[in-house]
Amino acid sequence: MTTIMDVETRSGVSRSTISRYLNGKPVTSQNRQKIEQAIKELSYRRNPMASGLKTSKTYTVGVVLPEITDPYFPRLVKYFQNYMHENGYQTIFNSYGNDPELEIEHVKTLANKRVDGLVVATINRKGNHIRECLDAGLPVVLFDRLIEGLDCDSVTVDNYQAVYDAISLCIRKGHRKIGFVGGSEYYTDITRFRGLCDALGNAGISLREEYINFANILEHDATRQFMRLMTLTDPPTLIFCSNIYHALGAFEAMLQYDLVIPRDVSVITFDRLSASPYYGFIQCIHPEFASICQPHKELSLQTAKTLLKRIQFGMDNFEPMRLELKTSFYMTESVADIKEDS
Amino acid sequence: MTTIMDVETRSGVSRSTISRYLNGKPVTSQNRQKIEQAIKELSYRRNPMASGLKTSKTYTVGVVLPEITDPYFPRLVKYFQNYMHENGYQTIFNSYGNDPELEIEHVKTLANKRVDGLVVATINRKGNHIRECLDAGLPVVLFDRLIEGLDCDSVTVDNYQAVYDAISLCIRKGHRKIGFVGGSEYYTDITRFRGLCDALGNAGISLREEYINFANILEHDATRQFMRLMTLTDPPTLIFCSNIYHALGAFEAMLQYDLVIPRDVSVITFDRLSASPYYGFIQCIHPEFASICQPHKELSLQTAKTLLKRIQFGMDNFEPMRLELKTSFYMTESVADIKEDS
DNA sequence: CTGTTAGCGCGTTCAT
DNA sequence: ATGAACGCGCTAACAG
């Protein structure tokens, strides 16, 4: 393996000057030429472990996320990675398959690997593993899900308000029997559920427990959850699907049981199915579900920027940056207007 | 940051013994205890850069693939990553967005980063960037796509034979006007096309050029390619979709133009849509397309194993390992039986 | 702007 | 089985 010493003897320029050249610092054009030639002739490549040993920088960041096979994450991954790559960072993605323990393991592994920063879309309600990182001086950005009581940079969306507004709108359209399907282990779903509750409460509608179907997404399938509400003796007139899995579940239920939307039931989803890559064809199947749309690209970009800033700025004078991006609402005829019925 | 020196003073055991303990070599149980306690008390974590500097091992491998947002890759990524993780390796995925130049850049970046091994699903026909890695002693496994004339470990499927057999079957079912849609830049599609050609040739059917529609997947959309064949004055009776994008294109065409399969046209695809995660609902829309199915899990596992073997075994006495896994054929009523018509 | 010098934290000789 | 000493390749601090 050729080292900087070889370049030194070959070019006749001293190591440190070469090092400075490599790090983009000013060097006389004479030396620059000699160095460049020697590097080329020897096809020298800097050893990142040696430099990392000195600088404690790996130029690698880690991203820990629930499940890479989701329709939701690959695109985020892509934007994030591109942005980091443009800024000289490599990205290691680890997906924990919605397993809380595995998430913690991945976080620790990456911390031990001395990544320069970490993005975590956590499934855990407790943040000890995150706090350990923070305490050790490792920048962490919480993505998509917050942890209560943990002071940490974060990038999320306005889950509560978006659902509150959407459901309020539906109530104005005459819906009073409103169902909810969602995953019990997600911060996001629980926050969205609160939005739904408050919208109902504010309209003087009391919650009916049989209309609420939380389930562990690993154990129950979303289609069945949806159909459980549909087969109640007094089913809801509108069902809110709290995430993209449950949106898919509703979609499959519609296909499988020949439901006619919104005749049989109105549907609203969080995340628009057809916005996922290679799901565009869903627009051909009518009606497309009304949905709360997340700004995917901006989410990943802001996450990347936040992380980069924290890496540069350091953990001193720590003032958490908490970004909450705005969603938009995409209304369709999947929500019936039933003013006259009531 | 706490180092092995701190553990030394704290435990009273010498560095080298601690190092041996860390590497799983025998140590007296006395020392073991002292070491473990000191490590715990100091919450010492080994510095991978320092050890890497000595051993030239990063315990990191790179994977370079066309596009992470594909329905095809995320799952492969997942299996691969899990397996590597179990074996102590981290994985860096880089997706190059089907851009040949970016692929090369990613390969070089990862090589410079001194990963211990590389998996590449290449879009390039020339393999200079791969050869450079090999020459530098960096193990590479070609995944999904081969490069002609490049001696390299690889894991692929029986593209040629699978298509040859499937098309032969369709010919026996009476099809003689057979169309092809595929991506022009893929090794796989071209190999599959050869299988189709030979099946036709062997049955004495001459190729009709207007039935062949290669296109750069970035520039043209698969739906339009499919419809171009359908709107010919004498359209094919069967269309073979050479990859999952074109399968999706056919699917969207069916939905958008209210095609009835197989009345309007028979369809066969490479890769089964509903086999992708979260595409299961496609089974509810009939008929499901007949398809050649790839053993996704085995593909990624074999790739991981091959890479690991090469990393351990080394590049000396290089005898390329070339795995070609078998696909299976999933027949459905999307292929009409038109024996009587001919 | 340049060259000299001294470690970064660890693994690996050797002796013992 | 253990401990002392050296060096992996590079960067940073210094003096020039």
Side-chain angles (χ1 to χ4, degrees):
Chain A
M1 201 172 43
T2 118
T3 80
I4 203 172
M5 312 276 291
D6 301 321
V7 182
E8 176 172 39
T9 55
R10 178 78 160 184
S11 67
V13 181
S14 84
R15 280 178 270 182
S16 62
T17 306
I18 298 167
S19 170
R20 309 184 39 230
Y21 162 80
L22 291 173
N23 291 314
K25 282 166 193 161
V27 167
T28 53
S29 63
Q30 262 190 359
N31 280 337
R32 162 181 301 270
Q33 288 226 337
K34 289 191 210 163
I35 294 170
E36 282 174 350
Q37 193 183 343
I39 285 180
K40 200 169 175 185
E41 288 171 2
L42 300 166
S43 67
Y44 162 80
R45 301 173 307 153
R46 182 216 305 252
N47 184 330
M49 279 171 304
S51 81
L53 181 56
K54 248 333 242 193
T55 59
S56 311
K57 291 267 312 174
T58 55
Y59 289 98
T60 304
V61 298
V63 176
V64 178
L65 40 78
E67 182 50 68
I68 185 64
T69 62
D70 279 10
Y72 177 61
F73 288 108
R75 187 180 17 171
L76 296 168
V77 157
K78 178 181 163 182
Y79 292 130
F80 181 86
Q81 179 158 248
N82 283 349
Y83 191 85
M84 295 307 286
H85 184 249
E86 283 166 12
N87 286 275
Y89 283 82
Q90 288 289 318
T91 309
I92 298 182
F93 294 97
N94 277 6
S95 101
Y96 52 81
N98 289 312
D99 173 351
E101 290 309 315
L102 190 52
E103 175 197 326
I104 295 174
E105 191 187 325
H106 279 319
V107 167
K108 290 192 173 163
T109 307
L110 289 168
N112 284 336
K113 208 173 175 60
R114 305 287 215 271
V115 291
D116 294 341
L118 217 44
V119 173
V120 183
T122 186
I123 203 172
N124 282 285
R125 312 298 305 274
K126 290 270 180 193
N128 292 334
H129 57 310
I130 309 285
R131 184 168 284 123
E132 279 175 26
C133 294
L134 260 19
D135 289 346
L138 173 61
V140 180
V141 175
L142 254 27
F143 176 79
D144 192 51
R145 301 115 184 253
L146 261 24
I147 291 179
E148 221 170 312
L150 184 67
D151 268 0
C152 186
D153 300 329
S154 63
V155 178
T156 53
V157 297
D158 58 344
N159 290 293
Y160 175 86
Q161 195 61 40
V163 175
Y164 183 93
D165 291 346
I167 296 297
S168 296
L169 181 62
C170 296
I171 292 170
R172 266 177 267 132
K173 276 178 165 287
H175 291 275
R176 301 187 68 79
K177 300 192 279 186
I178 294 181
F180 173 96
V181 289
S184 53
E185 59 286 271
Y186 299 122
Y187 159 85
T188 44
D189 287 36
I190 291 161
T191 309
R192 290 164 195 171
F193 179 64
R194 284 200 299 105
L196 182 142
C197 289
D198 288 359
L200 289 180
N202 199 42
I205 305 172
S206 61
L207 216 55
R208 288 170 61 165
E209 237 180 76
E210 73 265 32
Y211 286 172
I212 301 162
N213 202 328
F214 273 112
N216 183 322
I217 193 69
L218 286 177
E219 291 170 9
H220 298 274
D221 78 284
T223 306
R224 208 159 56 206
Q225 273 188 67
F226 189 89
M227 288 313 292
R228 229 200 74 193
L229 295 193
M230 289 303 293
T231 51
L232 290 172
T233 49
D234 182 22
T237 62
L238 178 144
I239 296 179
F240 172 71
C241 303
S242 181
N243 59 53
I244 200 163
Y245 310 107
H246 287 85
L248 276 165
F251 189 70
E252 185 169 335
M254 177 180 94
L255 295 173
Q256 194 166 341
Y257 297 98
D258 289 319
L259 301 179
V260 177
I261 312 292
R263 189 199 66 193
D264 297 328
V265 68
S266 294
V267 175
I268 285 194
T269 68
F270 205 105
D271 250 8
R272 189 176 169 194
L273 283 178
S274 66
S276 288
Y278 303 110
Y279 277 83
F281 62 83
I282 279 184
Q283 294 187 52
C284 301
I285 303 170
H286 298 281
E288 195 178 344
F289 294 160
S291 38
I292 294 165
C293 306
Q294 306 197 53
H296 297 280
K297 185 167 185 175
E298 210 195 329
L299 272 170
S300 25
L301 255 34
Q302 288 300 342
T303 306
K305 285 178 184 168
T306 304
L307 185 60
L308 244 23
K309 251 186 241 161
R310 178 60 69 198
I311 289 175
Q312 286 167 12
F313 187 72
M315 305 291 279
D316 309 326
N317 315 22
F318 187 80
E319 183 65 38
M321 301 182 266
R322 302 174 179 281
L323 260 63
E324 186 179 275
L325 303 188
K326 275 209 166 22
T327 55
S328 58
F329 187 50
Y330 173 73
M331 190 47 147
T332 74
E333 65 272 32
S334 78
V335 179
D337 203 321
I338 55 173
K339 275 197 193 102
E340 29 282 304
D341 299 32
S342 59
Chain B
M1 199 172 42
T2 118
T3 79
I4 203 171
M5 312 275 292
D6 301 321
V7 181
E8 176 172 38
T9 55
R10 178 78 161 186
S11 67
V13 182
S14 85
R15 281 177 268 183
S16 61
T17 305
I18 298 167
S19 170
R20 295 153 51 80
Y21 162 80
L22 289 173
N23 291 315
K25 282 166 192 161
V27 167
T28 54
S29 62
Q30 262 189 0
N31 280 337
R32 160 182 303 271
Q33 288 225 338
K34 289 190 208 161
I35 294 171
E36 282 174 349
Q37 193 184 342
I39 285 181
K40 200 170 174 183
E41 287 170 2
L42 300 166
S43 67
Y44 162 80
R45 302 172 307 153
R46 184 218 299 258
N47 183 330
M49 280 173 300
S51 80
L53 181 56
K54 266 315 260 192
T55 60
S56 311
K57 291 266 313 173
T58 55
Y59 289 98
T60 304
V61 298
V63 176
V64 178
L65 38 79
E67 182 48 68
I68 186 64
T69 62
D70 279 9
Y72 177 60
F73 288 108
R75 186 179 19 172
L76 295 168
V77 158
K78 177 181 165 184
Y79 292 131
F80 181 88
Q81 180 158 249
N82 283 349
Y83 192 85
M84 295 307 286
H85 183 249
E86 284 167 11
N87 286 274
Y89 283 82
Q90 288 289 318
T91 308
I92 298 181
F93 293 97
N94 277 7
S95 99
Y96 52 81
N98 289 313
D99 173 351
E101 289 310 315
L102 190 52
E103 174 198 326
I104 295 173
E105 190 187 324
H106 279 319
V107 166
K108 289 191 174 162
T109 307
L110 289 167
N112 284 336
K113 208 174 175 56
R114 305 289 216 270
V115 292
D116 294 340
L118 216 45
V119 173
V120 183
T122 185
I123 203 173
N124 282 286
R125 314 297 306 274
K126 290 272 180 192
N128 292 334
H129 58 309
I130 309 285
R131 184 169 284 122
E132 278 174 26
C133 295
L134 260 19
D135 290 346
L138 173 62
V140 179
V141 175
L142 255 27
F143 176 78
D144 192 52
R145 301 114 183 253
L146 261 24
I147 291 179
E148 220 171 313
L150 184 67
D151 268 0
C152 186
D153 301 329
S154 64
V155 177
T156 52
V157 296
D158 59 343
N159 291 293
Y160 174 87
Q161 194 61 40
V163 176
Y164 182 94
D165 291 346
I167 296 298
S168 296
L169 181 62
C170 295
I171 293 172
R172 265 177 266 132
K173 276 176 164 288
H175 291 276
R176 301 186 66 79
K177 299 192 280 184
I178 295 181
F180 173 97
V181 289
S184 54
E185 59 286 272
Y186 299 124
Y187 159 85
T188 45
D189 287 36
I190 291 161
T191 309
R192 290 164 195 170
F193 180 64
R194 285 201 299 105
L196 182 142
C197 289
D198 288 0
L200 289 179
N202 199 39
I205 304 171
S206 60
L207 216 56
R208 288 170 61 165
E209 236 179 77
E210 72 266 31
Y211 287 172
I212 301 162
N213 201 329
F214 273 111
N216 183 323
I217 195 69
L218 286 178
E219 292 171 8
H220 298 275
D221 79 284
T223 306
R224 208 159 56 206
Q225 273 188 66
F226 189 89
M227 289 312 292
R228 229 199 74 195
L229 295 194
M230 290 302 294
T231 50
L232 290 173
T233 49
D234 182 22
T237 63
L238 179 144
I239 296 178
F240 172 71
C241 304
S242 181
N243 59 55
I244 199 162
Y245 310 108
H246 287 86
L248 276 164
F251 188 70
E252 186 169 334
M254 178 180 95
L255 295 172
Q256 195 165 341
Y257 297 97
D258 289 318
L259 301 179
V260 177
I261 311 291
R263 188 199 66 190
D264 297 330
V265 68
S266 294
V267 175
I268 285 193
T269 68
F270 205 106
D271 251 6
R272 188 177 170 192
L273 283 177
S274 66
S276 287
Y278 304 108
Y279 277 83
F281 63 83
I282 279 186
Q283 293 186 54
C284 300
I285 302 170
H286 298 282
E288 196 178 344
F289 294 159
S291 40
I292 293 164
C293 307
Q294 306 197 52
H296 298 278
K297 185 167 186 177
E298 210 195 330
L299 272 170
S300 26
L301 255 34
Q302 288 301 341
T303 305
K305 286 180 184 168
T306 304
L307 185 61
L308 244 23
K309 252 187 239 163
R310 178 61 69 197
I311 289 174
Q312 286 167 11
F313 187 72
M315 306 290 279
D316 308 325
N317 315 23
F318 187 80
E319 182 67 38
M321 302 182 266
R322 302 174 178 282
L323 261 63
E324 187 180 276
L325 304 187
K326 274 207 166 24
T327 56
S328 58
F329 187 50
Y330 174 72
M331 190 46 147
T332 74
E333 65 271 31
S334 78
V335 180
D337 204 321
I338 54 171
K339 275 197 193 101
E340 30 281 306
D341 298 32
S342 57

PDB file of all heavy atoms in Angstrom, chain A residues 168-176 237 266 331 335-342:
ATOM      1  N   SER A 168     -61.687  17.657  11.390  1.00  0.00           N
ATOM      2  CA  SER A 168     -62.654  18.741  11.576  1.00  0.00           C
ATOM      3  C   SER A 168     -63.424  19.000  10.282  1.00  0.00           C
ATOM      4  O   SER A 168     -64.643  19.208  10.282  1.00  0.00           O
ATOM      5  CB  SER A 168     -61.932  20.018  12.013  1.00  0.00           C
ATOM      6  OG  SER A 168     -61.330  19.825  13.264  1.00  0.00           O
ATOM      7  N   LEU A 169     -62.701  18.957   9.197  1.00  0.00           N
ATOM      8  CA  LEU A 169     -63.325  19.156   7.896  1.00  0.00           C
ATOM      9  C   LEU A 169     -64.378  18.085   7.622  1.00  0.00           C
ATOM     10  O   LEU A 169     -65.477  18.361   7.146  1.00  0.00           O
ATOM     11  CB  LEU A 169     -62.236  19.128   6.811  1.00  0.00           C
ATOM     12  CG  LEU A 169     -62.694  19.341   5.377  1.00  0.00           C
ATOM     13  CD1 LEU A 169     -63.322  20.725   5.229  1.00  0.00           C
ATOM     14  CD2 LEU A 169     -61.529  19.191   4.420  1.00  0.00           C
ATOM     15  N   CYS A 170     -64.021  16.864   7.950  1.00  0.00           N
ATOM     16  CA  CYS A 170     -64.953  15.751   7.737  1.00  0.00           C
ATOM     17  C   CYS A 170     -66.193  15.902   8.612  1.00  0.00           C
ATOM     18  O   CYS A 170     -67.303  15.553   8.208  1.00  0.00           O
ATOM     19  CB  CYS A 170     -64.276  14.419   8.027  1.00  0.00           C
ATOM     20  SG  CYS A 170     -62.927  14.070   6.899  1.00  0.00           S
ATOM     21  N   ILE A 171     -65.967  16.387   9.791  1.00  0.00           N
ATOM     22  CA  ILE A 171     -67.107  16.600  10.682  1.00  0.00           C
ATOM     23  C   ILE A 171     -68.036  17.642  10.079  1.00  0.00           C
ATOM     24  O   ILE A 171     -69.252  17.492  10.069  1.00  0.00           O
ATOM     25  CB  ILE A 171     -66.611  17.038  12.079  1.00  0.00           C
ATOM     26  CG1 ILE A 171     -65.873  15.872  12.756  1.00  0.00           C
ATOM     27  CG2 ILE A 171     -67.783  17.489  12.947  1.00  0.00           C
ATOM     28  CD1 ILE A 171     -65.146  16.254  14.037  1.00  0.00           C
ATOM     29  N   ARG A 172     -67.428  18.676   9.516  1.00  0.00           N
ATOM     30  CA  ARG A 172     -68.240  19.693   8.851  1.00  0.00           C
ATOM     31  C   ARG A 172     -69.002  19.118   7.665  1.00  0.00           C
ATOM     32  O   ARG A 172     -70.052  19.611   7.285  1.00  0.00           O
ATOM     33  CB  ARG A 172     -67.348  20.856   8.396  1.00  0.00           C
ATOM     34  CG  ARG A 172     -67.304  21.980   9.431  1.00  0.00           C
ATOM     35  CD  ARG A 172     -66.371  23.089   8.998  1.00  0.00           C
ATOM     36  NE  ARG A 172     -65.039  22.882   9.549  1.00  0.00           N
ATOM     37  CZ  ARG A 172     -63.906  22.947   8.866  1.00  0.00           C
ATOM     38  NH1 ARG A 172     -63.920  23.218   7.577  1.00  0.00           N
ATOM     39  NH2 ARG A 172     -62.748  22.744   9.463  1.00  0.00           N
ATOM     40  N   LYS A 173     -68.445  18.069   7.091  1.00  0.00           N
ATOM     41  CA  LYS A 173     -69.141  17.410   5.974  1.00  0.00           C
ATOM     42  C   LYS A 173     -70.222  16.463   6.476  1.00  0.00           C
ATOM     43  O   LYS A 173     -70.851  15.747   5.697  1.00  0.00           O
ATOM     44  CB  LYS A 173     -68.134  16.630   5.136  1.00  0.00           C
ATOM     45  CG  LYS A 173     -67.421  17.476   4.090  1.00  0.00           C
ATOM     46  CD  LYS A 173     -66.408  16.616   3.345  1.00  0.00           C
ATOM     47  CE  LYS A 173     -65.935  17.286   2.061  1.00  0.00           C
ATOM     48  NZ  LYS A 173     -66.969  17.278   1.003  1.00  0.00           N
ATOM     49  N   GLY A 174     -70.385  16.413   7.779  1.00  0.00           N
ATOM     50  CA  GLY A 174     -71.499  15.650   8.320  1.00  0.00           C
ATOM     51  C   GLY A 174     -71.140  14.348   9.008  1.00  0.00           C
ATOM     52  O   GLY A 174     -71.997  13.665   9.554  1.00  0.00           O
ATOM     53  N   HIS A 175     -69.864  14.004   8.991  1.00  0.00           N
ATOM     54  CA  HIS A 175     -69.473  12.738   9.617  1.00  0.00           C
ATOM     55  C   HIS A 175     -69.443  12.879  11.130  1.00  0.00           C
ATOM     56  O   HIS A 175     -68.886  13.829  11.665  1.00  0.00           O
ATOM     57  CB  HIS A 175     -68.090  12.297   9.110  1.00  0.00           C
ATOM     58  CG  HIS A 175     -68.124  11.886   7.678  1.00  0.00           C
ATOM     59  ND1 HIS A 175     -68.476  10.618   7.272  1.00  0.00           N
ATOM     60  CD2 HIS A 175     -67.877  12.584   6.545  1.00  0.00           C
ATOM     61  CE1 HIS A 175     -68.429  10.548   5.951  1.00  0.00           C
ATOM     62  NE2 HIS A 175     -68.068  11.728   5.481  1.00  0.00           N
ATOM     63  N   ARG A 176     -70.035  11.924  11.790  1.00  0.00           N
ATOM     64  CA  ARG A 176     -70.000  11.900  13.250  1.00  0.00           C
ATOM     65  C   ARG A 176     -69.497  10.551  13.760  1.00  0.00           C
ATOM     66  O   ARG A 176     -68.953  10.449  14.851  1.00  0.00           O
ATOM     67  CB  ARG A 176     -71.384  12.195  13.828  1.00  0.00           C
ATOM     68  CG  ARG A 176     -71.921  13.576  13.389  1.00  0.00           C
ATOM     69  CD  ARG A 176     -73.201  13.944  14.095  1.00  0.00           C
ATOM     70  NE  ARG A 176     -72.999  14.186  15.503  1.00  0.00           N
ATOM     71  CZ  ARG A 176     -72.503  15.317  16.016  1.00  0.00           C
ATOM     72  NH1 ARG A 176     -72.132  16.294  15.217  1.00  0.00           N
ATOM     73  NH2 ARG A 176     -72.365  15.452  17.319  1.00  0.00           N
ATOM     74  N   THR A 237     -68.975   5.942   9.506  1.00  0.00           N
ATOM     75  CA  THR A 237     -69.189   6.429   8.137  1.00  0.00           C
ATOM     76  C   THR A 237     -67.881   6.863   7.499  1.00  0.00           C
ATOM     77  O   THR A 237     -67.801   7.038   6.293  1.00  0.00           O
ATOM     78  CB  THR A 237     -70.138   7.640   8.125  1.00  0.00           C
ATOM     79  OG1 THR A 237     -69.539   8.715   8.863  1.00  0.00           O
ATOM     80  CG2 THR A 237     -71.478   7.284   8.748  1.00  0.00           C
ATOM     81  N   SER A 266     -66.411   6.286   3.981  1.00  0.00           N
ATOM     82  CA  SER A 266     -65.444   7.286   3.538  1.00  0.00           C
ATOM     83  C   SER A 266     -64.071   6.952   4.117  1.00  0.00           C
ATOM     84  O   SER A 266     -63.974   6.318   5.164  1.00  0.00           O
ATOM     85  CB  SER A 266     -65.867   8.681   4.007  1.00  0.00           C
ATOM     86  OG  SER A 266     -67.068   9.069   3.380  1.00  0.00           O
ATOM     87  N   MET A 331     -57.653  16.500  -0.929  1.00  0.00           N
ATOM     88  CA  MET A 331     -59.035  16.066  -0.784  1.00  0.00           C
ATOM     89  C   MET A 331     -59.506  15.355  -2.046  1.00  0.00           C
ATOM     90  O   MET A 331     -59.162  15.765  -3.158  1.00  0.00           O
ATOM     91  CB  MET A 331     -59.924  17.288  -0.513  1.00  0.00           C
ATOM     92  CG  MET A 331     -61.344  16.925  -0.117  1.00  0.00           C
ATOM     93  SD  MET A 331     -61.448  15.632   1.151  1.00  0.00           S
ATOM     94  CE  MET A 331     -62.913  16.183   2.009  1.00  0.00           C
ATOM     95  N   VAL A 335     -64.277  11.015   0.428  1.00  0.00           N
ATOM     96  CA  VAL A 335     -65.002  11.474   1.612  1.00  0.00           C
ATOM     97  C   VAL A 335     -66.381  11.966   1.177  1.00  0.00           C
ATOM     98  O   VAL A 335     -66.492  12.949   0.437  1.00  0.00           O
ATOM     99  CB  VAL A 335     -64.246  12.616   2.322  1.00  0.00           C
ATOM    100  CG1 VAL A 335     -65.037  13.090   3.530  1.00  0.00           C
ATOM    101  CG2 VAL A 335     -62.864  12.155   2.733  1.00  0.00           C
ATOM    102  N   ALA A 336     -67.395  11.256   1.629  1.00  0.00           N
ATOM    103  CA  ALA A 336     -68.757  11.607   1.230  1.00  0.00           C
ATOM    104  C   ALA A 336     -69.235  12.840   1.987  1.00  0.00           C
ATOM    105  O   ALA A 336     -68.786  13.118   3.093  1.00  0.00           O
ATOM    106  CB  ALA A 336     -69.690  10.437   1.491  1.00  0.00           C
ATOM    107  N   ASP A 337     -70.121  13.538   1.358  1.00  0.00           N
ATOM    108  CA  ASP A 337     -70.763  14.683   2.003  1.00  0.00           C
ATOM    109  C   ASP A 337     -72.109  14.197   2.508  1.00  0.00           C
ATOM    110  O   ASP A 337     -72.983  13.838   1.730  1.00  0.00           O
ATOM    111  CB  ASP A 337     -70.963  15.786   0.953  1.00  0.00           C
ATOM    112  CG  ASP A 337     -71.075  17.136   1.612  1.00  0.00           C
ATOM    113  OD1 ASP A 337     -71.714  17.212   2.679  1.00  0.00           O
ATOM    114  OD2 ASP A 337     -70.507  18.093   1.060  1.00  0.00           O
ATOM    115  N   ILE A 338     -72.256  14.117   3.812  1.00  0.00           N
ATOM    116  CA  ILE A 338     -73.492  13.529   4.332  1.00  0.00           C
ATOM    117  C   ILE A 338     -74.242  14.509   5.215  1.00  0.00           C
ATOM    118  O   ILE A 338     -74.915  14.137   6.148  1.00  0.00           O
ATOM    119  CB  ILE A 338     -73.213  12.231   5.116  1.00  0.00           C
ATOM    120  CG1 ILE A 338     -72.189  12.465   6.234  1.00  0.00           C
ATOM    121  CG2 ILE A 338     -72.720  11.145   4.190  1.00  0.00           C
ATOM    122  CD1 ILE A 338     -72.001  11.262   7.138  1.00  0.00           C
ATOM    123  N   LYS A 339     -74.108  15.772   4.865  1.00  0.00           N
ATOM    124  CA  LYS A 339     -74.789  16.794   5.661  1.00  0.00           C
ATOM    125  C   LYS A 339     -76.279  16.499   5.785  1.00  0.00           C
ATOM    126  O   LYS A 339     -76.865  16.547   6.851  1.00  0.00           O
ATOM    127  CB  LYS A 339     -74.602  18.163   5.021  1.00  0.00           C
ATOM    128  CG  LYS A 339     -73.317  18.851   5.414  1.00  0.00           C
ATOM    129  CD  LYS A 339     -73.382  20.330   5.098  1.00  0.00           C
ATOM    130  CE  LYS A 339     -72.003  20.958   5.191  1.00  0.00           C
ATOM    131  NZ  LYS A 339     -71.372  21.175   3.885  1.00  0.00           N
ATOM    132  N   GLU A 340     -76.903  16.158   4.642  1.00  0.00           N
ATOM    133  CA  GLU A 340     -78.355  15.988   4.613  1.00  0.00           C
ATOM    134  C   GLU A 340     -78.828  14.798   5.452  1.00  0.00           C
ATOM    135  O   GLU A 340     -79.937  14.783   5.946  1.00  0.00           O
ATOM    136  CB  GLU A 340     -78.867  15.834   3.171  1.00  0.00           C
ATOM    137  CG  GLU A 340     -77.908  15.208   2.183  1.00  0.00           C
ATOM    138  CD  GLU A 340     -76.828  16.186   1.699  1.00  0.00           C
ATOM    139  OE1 GLU A 340     -77.206  17.256   1.176  1.00  0.00           O
ATOM    140  OE2 GLU A 340     -75.630  15.890   1.850  1.00  0.00           O
ATOM    141  N   ASP A 341     -77.981  13.781   5.593  1.00  0.00           N
ATOM    142  CA  ASP A 341     -78.390  12.579   6.308  1.00  0.00           C
ATOM    143  C   ASP A 341     -78.590  12.824   7.794  1.00  0.00           C
ATOM    144  O   ASP A 341     -79.405  12.174   8.430  1.00  0.00           O
ATOM    145  CB  ASP A 341     -77.353  11.466   6.148  1.00  0.00           C
ATOM    146  CG  ASP A 341     -77.182  11.088   4.678  1.00  0.00           C
ATOM    147  OD1 ASP A 341     -77.340  11.979   3.825  1.00  0.00           O
ATOM    148  OD2 ASP A 341     -76.905   9.923   4.396  1.00  0.00           O
ATOM    149  N   SER A 342     -77.846  13.742   8.336  1.00  0.00           N
ATOM    150  CA  SER A 342     -77.855  13.864   9.788  1.00  0.00           C
ATOM    151  C   SER A 342     -78.973  14.727  10.314  1.00  0.00           C
ATOM    152  O   SER A 342     -79.831  15.167   9.589  1.00  0.00           O
ATOM    153  CB  SER A 342     -76.516  14.424  10.266  1.00  0.00           C
ATOM    154  OG  SER A 342     -76.285  15.687   9.664  1.00  0.00           O
TER     155      SER A 342
END
